[in-house]
Amino acid sequence: MHLRSGQCENAYSVNGRPLTPAVDLAMKHPPDVLETALADRYTHLSPLGEGGMATVYRAHDVKHDRDVALKVLRPELGESLGRERFLREIRLAASLTHPHILPLHDSGETHGLLWFTMPLMGGETLRDRMAAGPMALDEAVRFAGEVADALDYAHRHDIVHRDIKPENILLHEGHAVVADFGIGKALVAASEHAMMHTQIGITVGTPAYMSPEQAAGDDVDGRSDLFALGCVLFEMLTGEVAFSGPTVQATIARRFVHTPPPAYTLRPEVPAALAQLIDRLLAKSVDERVSSGAQVAQTLRAPVLITTPTSAPATHTERSVVVLPFANVSPDADTEYFSDGLTDELITDLSRVKALRIISRTTAMQYKGSSQTLREIGAAVGVRWALTGSVRRAGSALRISAQLVDVQRDEPAWAEKYSGTLDDVFDVQERVSRAIVQALDVVLSPQENAQLAARPLQDVRAFELYLKAREALGGYDVARAAPLIARAVEIAGRVPVLRALEALSGIMQLRTGASRDPALIASIEREARALIAEAPDFAQGYALLGYLAYEIGDQVTAVQSLRRAFALDSADTDIRFFLGIAGQAGGHPDVRAGLAWHAIDPLSPLAHCLVAANTWWTGRFSDGTRYMEEAVRLAPAGPIFRWGLGNHYALLGRYDDAERQVAWLHDNAMHFPYTPTLQGLVLGALGRHEEALAVLDTIEMASLDHHHLFHLAESYAAAGADAKAVALTLRAVDMGFHGIADYCERYSPFYEPLRDRADFHEAMVRARALAARFRAAVAEATS
């Protein structure tokens, strides 16, 4: 914890009177006295800071050989509390594990003193950063989003902070970390116990940031913390305190009678959507506020917050639409794939109309089951219109309702209900798409008109199997997808969309390391080239050729083919992702393209993952942390994202966090080849080389692609198997993973022991030569 003398504010009071630092704890309980009492645990105490509640000392944790911040409650405060209740609540708070929450290490009572310890962190507080005036928009939004993430996590664990303020937000490695989580709850809980015996109560909070209900002494929930976050965000952006007065009483009273002006009236470049979010956070009525930290974080990460002019309310493209996931109201919950599939097909249809701006599927699907209002969603993704609906299916009977809503006015512009059978689904899909086009006064070109009428599958039974198979492949479940595709082919024949899906299942086998069969590779290439010849406007032919080229190490062909595919279907997230990782493998990561994708598709876990991975190859690990963490938050069941986050933590030396991702992969994805690779990396980095090698030597390498092999090589390097690490690195380079020289020679902590070896140097020379050849070939193809 980073504290300086005088930095702690009077955030606590007894029976309504502030606890002023009248008693100098550093004198009453000098460090040598405390050190004697705690000698078996902590030594070398020196005061760091003092406030109304406690004194904070720098101390050395003997057991773990580390420096910590030791916080000791004022004796008179400790005497008034229910000590056992306080320590019990502190232990609950210590269970919080989140990257933006400062953890509690230890707590106890010694010679009548209540104390607890936290990490001793460098850097500065948010208050320090704000001393120079209003902060940069992107920085303020990012810090607020990280605090919102921390609040959401704690609130879901029934812990309310009660004292969110700039002093309790630490800035560490460019990210916000919330301190003193759970302390307020512990004080209140202990105080409630104490009042039963002593009539002494504690009021927790800082006047300038207290919610109305907290100031009134009422019960509070997480929305009270969100009010305080609104105050902090307002101050970060404008340099003004939202609620202030000449005295503590006047400051508290201010929130009941005063409404701060919209932030953009004090700072014109503040987006109106951001100002509106602050207004909702500062609502006097609890029920009018944003209800969760997750909703705040989601809104803060929308691109409209950074790109929208703010001298007036945010303007939206008149023909911008988000197709929200259709609700499955069928008696059988297992038909969820059908409502999701219909949503996806409508997005695909409308994306082909050039006059419309359609939010991507990955972003739209993040709102599945969301409790946010359509106005909130519209503001978050920057659209004027939302298409919502529901699907009820009972056997072959089908009932679909849909409506197009103006999210600014919260008024429906069109609504319709359709009843029929499953055989009518294609007709309903087309009618809905055309109704949207008509409602928005769009004139279709002949090609667009034909595309809306076209159906890649004419048989509804085959369409249903196609939806199930696509869902299975989305989870890398090739075994479940294969028979579904085969049955669909029996019904509909070898139409392009099913042929592409079948070939994609083969790509998945290569991607997951299940096979490197030359016959499989040859069959995928034949199918891709046949699709290109027979259906040149069908993006999946070029995409398959690009995916295959990446897997077999031909990165030039991969980039060229994926660019052709992207030109035909820019909404396909897999095409974007593979285009990004092909550039990384070849030796030219396109950082701008990754950030641009993230900006237009802010809720895509693949976009976040790509941006984070780009930071590996450019040596800016800490810049990618929030992106990789967000990828996992958006897709918590995705093994590739869990591996990516674990690998990222390992690069940062955060091995405890990396081990948690290893544990998740062990429990949920033991078949995934990256699971033992990551486990070996972490064990090796911790110096447990024999255990690491025992894990790594179980991996069957014959079917691994260049990406797998490279990360396996790095794990062997961490485990001290230098010769094997170099050999595998060179093998990965020769298989197509060229863009590693800077990473291995400069950035990776695990390759450091290899850097004096002649064979390592030779491998890097080869990698640089192949990367230069790749860049030249791609540049020539582009010119």
Side-chain angles (χ1 to χ4, degrees), residues 419-447:
S419 296
T421 67
L422 200 58
D423 292 329
D424 300 318
V425 67
F426 298 132
D427 179 57
V428 172
Q429 180 181 327
E430 182 179 349
R431 288 166 64 185
V432 171
S433 295
R434 291 189 182 278
I436 302 308
V437 168
Q438 184 176 359
L440 299 182
D441 295 324
V442 173
V443 177
L444 296 173
S445 69
Q447 182 183 11

Side-chain angles (χ1 to χ4, degrees), residues 481-782:
L484 296 171
I485 298 170
R487 284 164 54 198
V489 169
E490 289 176 5
I491 296 169
R494 295 190 59 77
V495 295
V497 69
L498 293 179
R499 290 162 57 189
L501 199 64
E502 187 176 48
L504 183 62
S505 70
I507 294 291
M508 291 295 185
Q509 293 181 61
L510 300 175
R511 186 90 178 112
T512 58
S515 174
R516 297 294 292 181
D517 185 352
L520 173 64
I521 292 172
S523 70
I524 295 171
E525 182 175 4
R526 281 196 305 272
E527 194 63 85
R529 294 193 182 282
L531 286 170
I532 291 171
E534 296 170 26
D537 293 333
F538 184 45
Q540 287 305 307
Y542 293 103
L544 286 166
L545 193 60
Y547 301 155
L548 180 63
Y550 171 82
E551 288 296 336
I552 64 176
D554 182 358
Q555 307 306 347
V556 174
T557 299
V559 169
Q560 292 172 344
S561 300
L562 290 166
R563 283 178 176 175
R564 291 288 299 276
F566 182 72
L568 292 168
D569 186 0
S570 60
D572 190 307
T573 55
D574 286 332
I575 293 172
R576 280 185 180 269
F577 182 72
F578 267 87
L579 187 54
I581 61 175
Q584 293 173 357
H588 188 56
D590 194 339
V591 175
R592 288 187 179 181
L595 292 170
W597 179 21
H598 175 267
I600 64 174
D601 202 358
L603 300 182
S604 166
L606 280 175
H608 283 83
C609 187
L610 181 63
V611 172
N614 278 335
T615 68
W616 300 349
W617 312 115
T618 55
R620 301 175 63 87
F621 304 150
S622 61
D623 290 351
T625 306
R626 69 185 180 101
Y627 293 100
M628 197 62 83
E629 289 172 345
E630 184 67 2
V632 170
R633 191 188 73 79
L634 292 168
I640 192 66
F641 305 121
R642 292 284 187 168
W643 167 80
L645 182 58
N647 190 73
H648 194 90
Y649 283 147
L651 287 172
L652 292 170
R654 293 171 56 176
Y655 300 122
D656 288 347
D657 292 328
E659 284 185 308
R660 279 189 278 274
Q661 300 309 313
V662 171
W664 187 94
L665 287 165
H666 260 283
D667 291 342
N668 298 277
M670 268 304 296
H671 66 285
F672 200 47
Y674 288 104
T675 298
T677 299
L678 179 61
Q679 183 182 16
L681 180 73
V682 175
L683 288 171
L686 291 172
R688 295 157 62 180
H689 290 178
E690 289 187 7
E691 294 175 67
L693 292 173
V695 170
L696 297 174
D697 288 344
T698 65
I699 298 174
E700 174 54 57
M701 291 186 284
S703 60
L704 299 185
D705 67 10
H706 48 69
H707 186 262
H708 285 95
L709 277 177
F710 172 73
H711 286 289
L712 181 59
E714 189 172 30
S715 295
Y716 272 110
D722 295 359
K724 189 162 190 174
V726 173
L728 287 177
T729 300
L730 182 57
R731 185 173 162 190
V733 169
D734 285 338
M735 287 179 64
F737 212 65
H738 316 318
I740 62 170
D742 281 344
Y743 175 82
C744 293
E745 291 179 330
R746 299 169 58 190
Y747 307 138
S748 170
F750 310 115
Y751 271 97
E752 186 173 355
L754 279 61
R755 289 172 185 156
D756 291 332
R757 294 177 61 103
D759 53 357
F760 174 78
H761 177 69
E762 292 171 5
M764 294 303 100
V765 169
R766 181 160 179 77
R768 289 191 185 280
L770 291 172
R773 189 182 304 172
F774 165 80
R775 289 193 293 270
V778 170
E780 182 179 354
T782 304

